[in-house]
Amino acid sequence: MPELVFFSGTMDCGKSTLALQIEHNRSTRGLQGMIFTRDDRAGEGKLSSRLGLVTDAVEAAEGFDFYAYLVTHLSKGGRCDYVIADEAQFLAPDQIDQLARVVDDLDLDVFAFGITTDFRSKLFPGSQRLVELADRVEVLQVEALCWCGARATHNARTVGGAMVVEGAQVVVGDVNAGDEVGYEVLCRRHHRRRMTAATAHAAALSPDVLPVEVSDRPTVRR
């Protein structure tokens, strides 16, 4: 049976890379997919990975209707065997409903990829609706790491390396953005403390790094 699958995770965990891999695997088997994205770092109408991979996509802007677009495409003799929707966190809840309808009424698999929570640790509306409707939610197993070495679970917005907690929910930026708006993945502890790599001077030894396990064996002096 066709499914709506939501692949979720923090930044840097390989969501877009997996989307491109799914597209490659299916296209090499003779299947034809439709790729959609929203506000990709590579620009309008692109799906890109931080590994440097990029492909063309349909830009799903505000007000875009996935179901109507695909019905029109199919009614004109076009082919579509599956759908990929990247940056799904930026989609409106009603657009997620449209993707669910694509699965149920058009019998197409839909693979959605996105970040679950924003820089304030609040659910994106699109991601929330995906969690509510998806047949499966898959948390990606490629773990992004906080500067301290712990598993990164939160996305932080930074300006000049310092974490900020106010502003619009959607501001397009990237990692290593210098003095401009950027993003960094952090563990929960350092997100709560608003400690980024820059503010913690992570290049130097820090008392905030992960603790080292100390052996219980007594030290033998010679």
Side-chain angles (χ1 to χ4, degrees):
M1 295 291 292
E3 288 185 308
L4 172 58
V5 186
F6 179 33
F7 294 94
S8 68
T10 63
M11 296 179 300
D12 290 337
C13 73
K15 297 182 300 301
S16 297
T17 301
L18 179 58
L20 290 164
Q21 185 67 53
I22 288 176
E23 161 63 15
H24 171 75
N25 290 350
R26 290 184 171 238
S27 64
T28 56
R29 293 295 180 264
L31 300 176
Q32 293 183 19
M34 188 72 71
I35 303 175
F36 300 93
T37 191
R38 173 82 173 269
D39 294 334
D40 189 274
R41 68 183 70 86
E44 183 175 336
K46 298 292 182 182
L47 190 164
S48 67
S49 163
R50 286 192 173 87
L51 297 181
L53 305 173
V54 62
T55 191
D56 292 329
V58 177
E59 185 74 13
E62 183 178 352
F64 182 86
D65 190 321
F66 288 92
Y67 184 79
Y69 184 94
L70 285 163
V71 167
T72 299
H73 174 75
L74 294 170
S75 65
K76 291 181 177 180
R79 179 180 172 185
C80 182
D81 299 309
Y82 59 93
V83 171
I84 291 174
D86 197 27
E87 306 293 357
Q89 72 274 4
F90 296 144
L91 301 177
D94 65 312
Q95 291 177 309
I96 304 302
D97 289 346
Q98 295 160 15
L99 290 175
R101 189 180 179 190
V102 167
V103 175
D104 297 337
D105 294 356
L106 301 182
D107 292 328
L108 300 177
D109 283 315
V110 173
F111 305 104
F113 300 81
I115 298 168
T116 308
T117 57
D118 65 15
F119 69 104
R120 301 165 300 182
S121 299
K122 304 296 183 182
L123 284 169
F124 281 101
S127 298
Q128 178 178 336
R129 193 62 177 144
L130 274 166
V131 171
E132 294 166 349
L133 292 183
D135 297 293
R136 286 188 292 127
V137 177
E138 301 282 352
V139 179
L140 297 192
Q141 298 303 309
V142 177
E143 295 183 349
L145 298 179
C146 177
W147 60 264
C148 70
R151 184 170 72 90
T153 54
H154 290 64
N155 304 296
R157 180 180 294 171
T158 62
V159 176
M163 179 175 161
V164 295
V165 294
E166 296 181 353
Q169 186 176 53
V170 178
V171 175
V172 178
D174 207 344
V175 295
N176 303 319
D179 292 333
E180 300 178 358
V181 174
Y183 290 90
E184 182 176 343
V185 288
L186 300 172
C187 64
R188 184 183 64 243
R189 176 174 61 164
H190 289 132
H191 191 276
R192 287 179 55 248
R193 296 179 182 179
R194 304 185 187 179
M195 294 179 65
T196 66
T199 58
H201 306 293
L205 291 177
S206 167
D208 246 288
V209 298
L210 288 176
V212 177
E213 184 176 336
V214 180
S215 173
D216 292 332
R217 296 180 180 179
T219 302
V220 179
R221 300 183 181 275
R222 296 186 179 181

